Amino acid sequence: MPVARGIGRWLIVTTLLLLAALEVLLLVLVFVPLPRRPLIAAGSVLATSWCTPVLGAPALLGLLLVRALWRTRAVRSARWAGWVALTTSAVALASALAPYAAAWETARDRGEGLSLAGQFAGLNYSRGPERDRTLVYARVGRHRMKMDVWLPDGGAPRVPRPAVVWVHGGGWESGHRSQTPRWNEWLNDRGYAVFDIEYRLAPRATQLQQIGDVKCAIGWVRRNAARYAVDPARIVLAGTSAGGNLALSAAYTARDNRPRATCGGARGTAVRAVVSFYGPTDMAGMIAGGANRADPRVRAFMGGSLMTASDGFRLGSPTRLVRADVPPTLLLHGSHDRLVPVAQARELNARLTRAGAVHEYVEIPWADHAFDYNWGNWGTQIARPALADFLRVHAGQ
């Protein structure tokens, strides 16, 4: 009998400590800045995107388990394990509720609501393009640049509809068109045609060439507007992460045609408005003070160093391109972004405010980079109505 009680005690202790270790791991993934290696980054994004249920479920289980097992004689002989589990569970539960409370307050201030059931709406990510929607919009050398065309159901509208040119993310060196398909579906449901584009990736292309590729896509949509029943005066440019950077840079340099469209003289690249989801806004700030300053890949991508390619750094940094007449701008950024510091979005917001430019800044509390890959999390639930309102005002839909 004493042997059985001993085995039961250590089984209970092991269970409590494993649960505590899981909670600590989740807390680290959600809150601690970690190296951006692919596996770690994926775990951080997933844990942060589902922060409330991911932290809340094991925390509640831990509290219930501690309460139930503390009444047994076995746990009384190893109360230290119960206190460890109680502490980690309490911290995890508070950490699970804090993002929801902050998001609820942000949503309330904007006249919106949050859905708990909506947290489980699934992923907003596709492993590959929608090839049955694909066409070539430009040729640069041997490279054929493609876009996926997403059109609303119901055929051609009575009057030309607005369009969104969507630019994917991926750190300028990865990613693909139709990478976030649920945004395209959501926009289609609201009557927008979507042209989800690719662009040449680093290291084969510089950032300025990528901005030129985006301009080529805008020019193509304008030239083919009648074919898709699109109003060329109501084209909105939008992008996520690196795509947000390219979208802002292309929109802010449309008037002076720098960087130039790289597809052979595309004209008419002005857009009605521009939207950036957690995009970098200052390229010098992204590398300053780190090892990337000497990284030959960064030098190649930017066309040189901060000293030798200052014009390239300026044209690829929206904060340096601000004027009073830049297109109306919507910035959506997470306050807990561990890849593109939220300070970048705040600085662009401040400069747009000082310049008197039409813009809106939505900072999403506790959200990390790529928060919208979870279609139902608090950040995406705030971002959707914010984008809908912005498009309704500036694209008339």
Side-chain angles (χ1 to χ4, degrees), residues 315-329:
L315 292 171
S317 299
T319 54
R320 305 190 186 189
L321 303 170
V322 170
R323 306 181 309 271
D325 61 346
V326 297
T329 301

Side-chain angles (χ1 to χ4, degrees), residues 58-345:
L60 288 173
L61 176 61
L63 292 174
L64 291 173
L65 190 61
V66 168
R67 182 177 183 275
L69 296 183
W70 253 358
R71 296 179 176 181
T72 70
R73 186 173 300 175
V75 174
R76 287 173 185 168
S77 61
R79 280 185 173 270
W80 62 272
W83 282 111
V84 169
L86 178 63
T87 301
T88 56
S89 295
V91 171
L93 183 60
S95 300
L97 294 176
Y100 169 71
W104 180 85
E105 184 175 0
T106 299
R108 183 200 61 186
D109 292 345
R110 298 182 57 82
E112 302 159 6
L114 297 177
S115 167
L116 181 61
Q119 275 270 292
F120 305 98
L123 286 172
N124 174 31
Y125 180 77
S126 172
R127 290 186 176 183
E130 292 278 336
R131 299 192 184 281
D132 58 338
R133 303 175 183 269
T134 299
L135 54 80
V136 175
Y137 73 86
R139 288 178 172 83
V140 179
R142 296 181 178 180
H143 190 91
R144 297 193 308 164
M145 293 189 291
K146 300 175 182 179
M147 65 169 60
D148 290 350
V149 180
W150 296 68
L151 297 177
D153 294 332
R158 286 186 176 181
V159 296
R161 58 194 162 206
V164 175
V165 175
W166 193 274
V167 191
H168 69 78
W172 300 278
E173 61 182 5
S174 64
H176 53 81
R177 62 191 186 276
S178 296
Q179 183 168 277
T180 50
R182 299 193 68 167
W183 279 119
N184 298 344
E185 296 168 354
W186 182 87
L187 288 164
N188 280 173
D189 289 343
R190 283 150 185 79
Y192 297 89
V194 181
F195 300 87
D196 197 323
I197 72 168
E198 67 179 24
Y199 48 90
R200 290 172 295 163
L201 300 174
R204 293 188 176 183
T206 66
Q207 184 198 32
L208 296 186
Q209 289 172 330
Q210 292 176 345
I211 297 169
D213 293 347
V214 174
K215 290 186 174 184
C216 287
I218 299 168
W220 187 94
V221 173
R222 292 178 69 91
R223 293 194 304 275
N224 291 273
R227 175 181 173 187
Y228 296 102
V230 163
D231 182 352
R234 291 192 291 162
I235 297 173
V236 177
L237 187 56
T240 59
S241 194
N245 166 263
L246 299 177
L248 290 169
S249 298
Y252 288 5
T253 60
R255 189 174 66 176
D256 59 17
N257 202 31
R258 293 184 302 163
R260 294 186 180 277
T262 51
C263 53
R267 296 180 180 273
T269 61
V271 293
R272 184 70 166 265
V274 61
V275 180
S276 170
F277 286 78
Y278 43 85
T281 65
D282 181 6
M283 294 305 295
M286 286 296 291
I287 67 171
N292 284 336
R293 177 176 293 196
D295 191 329
R297 296 174 301 175
V298 175
R299 288 176 177 266
F301 173 62
M302 294 305 300
S305 67
L306 286 167
M307 294 294 292
T308 62
S310 58
D311 200 44
F313 275 91
R314 182 180 68 83
L315 292 171
S317 299
T319 54
R320 305 190 186 189
L321 303 170
V322 170
R323 306 181 309 271
D325 61 346
V326 297
T329 301
L330 172 63
L331 303 174
L332 298 130
H333 212 104
S335 67
H336 198 61
D337 195 318
R338 289 174 284 188
L339 186 59
V340 179
V342 68
Q344 293 241 332

Side-chain angles (χ1 to χ4, degrees), residues 31-67:
F31 296 109
V32 177
L34 298 170
R36 300 304 292 191
R37 296 185 177 88
L39 187 59
I40 296 176
S44 296
V45 168
L46 289 173
T48 306
S49 294
W50 279 271
C51 177
T52 299
V54 161
L55 285 174
L60 288 173
L61 176 61
L63 292 174
L64 291 173
L65 190 61
V66 168
R67 182 177 183 275

